[in-house]
Amino acid sequence: HQFEVIGYPVSSEFYHIEDQELLKDLRKKWGVKEKEIPIFIVMGKHSTAASREIFDHLLHSNTDLPLKYLFICGKNNELKNELEKSLDEQDFSIAEKFSIQGCLSSKEMNEVMNISNMGISKAGASSVIEIMATQAFVLLMHSYPWEI
């Protein structure tokens, strides 16, 4: 028997974007101002309670840094609606630091990862490989029990 070692399969949609003009255009597309520091938060296609907990901490954090939080809720529309409702109750100066997104295509996730200075993600195999492909910096959170 012969074995071949291959890498983890990852979509070709995930890659590192080096074109600075394209990155500038993508920042505009995703509502990130020139001086803002974008951070993506994604906890998988179905998102998790950890997303809400992270959101609450960031919402009540006191920082003068020009941060822009890009929350990707995936298919969890209930969470997306909850987060949007929470932002509606905030001052504009706080709410404008957040962008709440639903389920993104691989191409869109690649864009978000490439424009962000860093991200927060669950440590699932696919998530980690996709992030590595974009060369993004990331803080990894607990995975689902079946991914450990």
Side-chain angles (χ1 to χ4, degrees), residues 37-122:
I37 302 165
I39 299 172
F40 70 86
I41 297 93
V42 61
M43 295 292 164
K45 277 186 188 171
H46 302 287
S47 214
T48 65
S51 296
R52 179 61 202 220
E53 189 176 337
I54 293 167
F55 175 84
D56 287 338
H57 282 293
L58 295 175
L59 186 64
H60 298 101
S61 66
N62 188 10
T63 181
D64 291 329
L65 293 173
L67 301 174
K68 179 74 168 198
Y69 303 112
L70 304 167
F71 270 83
I72 315 302
C73 297
K75 295 180 179 182
N76 191 335
N77 289 326
E78 184 179 330
L79 175 66
K80 182 179 185 290
N81 294 337
E82 238 182 81
L83 301 186
E84 289 173 337
K85 185 178 178 193
S86 292
L87 289 179
D88 288 343
E89 299 166 0
Q90 302 298 318
D91 288 336
F92 179 75
S93 62
I94 294 172
E96 74 175 342
K97 290 182 174 227
F98 292 82
S99 173
I100 311 300
Q101 304 293 322
C103 193
L104 301 183
S105 68
S106 295
K107 179 181 184 282
E108 292 169 321
M109 272 306 306
N110 184 65
E111 292 172 358
V112 168
M113 289 178 182
N114 270 279
I115 65 167
S116 297
N117 289 49
M118 68 167 293
I120 301 171
S121 175
K122 69 180 187 70

Side-chain angles (χ1 to χ4, degrees), residues 12-28:
S12 60
E13 297 274 355
F14 289 95
Y15 63 95
H16 178 65
I17 299 173
E18 294 184 25
D19 182 335
Q20 294 303 308
E21 284 302 311
L22 175 57
L23 290 170
K24 191 175 180 180
D25 290 343
L26 290 174
R27 285 174 66 94
K28 285 181 189 171

